[in-house]
Amino acid sequence: MHPIDSIVKKYNVTKYSISKIGNISQTGISSAIERNQTIDNFKVKTIIAIAKAINKTPGETLDELLNFEEHLKNEK
């Protein structure tokens, strides 16, 4: 599972809603998941879009994404 999937599940939002609220392409979000892109390679606008969708600051969102990523690494 990708950290974005974890956010989507936890906050009950969709990738579509993230793309619309943040004015970014849904394809970009899906592509990051499919390529298993690490959080440190995300574009800032992706972090901001997710933050807007879950009503958190970009910093809080980045922290949460990094925590999910670390948790997922430790599960392997």
Side-chain angles (χ1 to χ4, degrees), residues 3-4 6-7 10 12 14 17 20-21 35-36 39 44-45 50 53-56 69 73:
I4 291 177
S6 299
I7 290 282
K10 179 178 178 179
N12 196 31
T14 63
S17 66
K20 289 300 170 192
I21 292 168
R35 290 189 324 250
N36 203 27
I39 303 306
V44 172
K45 67 182 181 179
I50 295 168
I54 64 172
N55 199 30
K56 299 279 186 183
E69 186 175 68
K73 283 181 188 175

Side-chain angles (χ1 to χ4, degrees), residues 8 10 13 15 19 21 24-25 27 34 36 39 41 45-46 51 57 60 74:
V8 165
K10 179 178 178 179
V13 295
K15 290 173 260 191
S19 70
I21 292 168
I24 61 172
S25 76
T27 306
E34 289 170 14
N36 203 27
I39 303 306
N41 288 319
K45 67 182 181 179
T46 303
T57 67
E60 291 169 329
N74 291 334

Side-chain angles (χ1 to χ4, degrees), residues 26-40:
Q26 186 177 355
T27 306
I29 295 170
S30 296
S31 179
I33 294 169
E34 289 170 14
R35 290 189 324 250
N36 203 27
Q37 185 176 17
T38 58
I39 303 306
D40 59 340

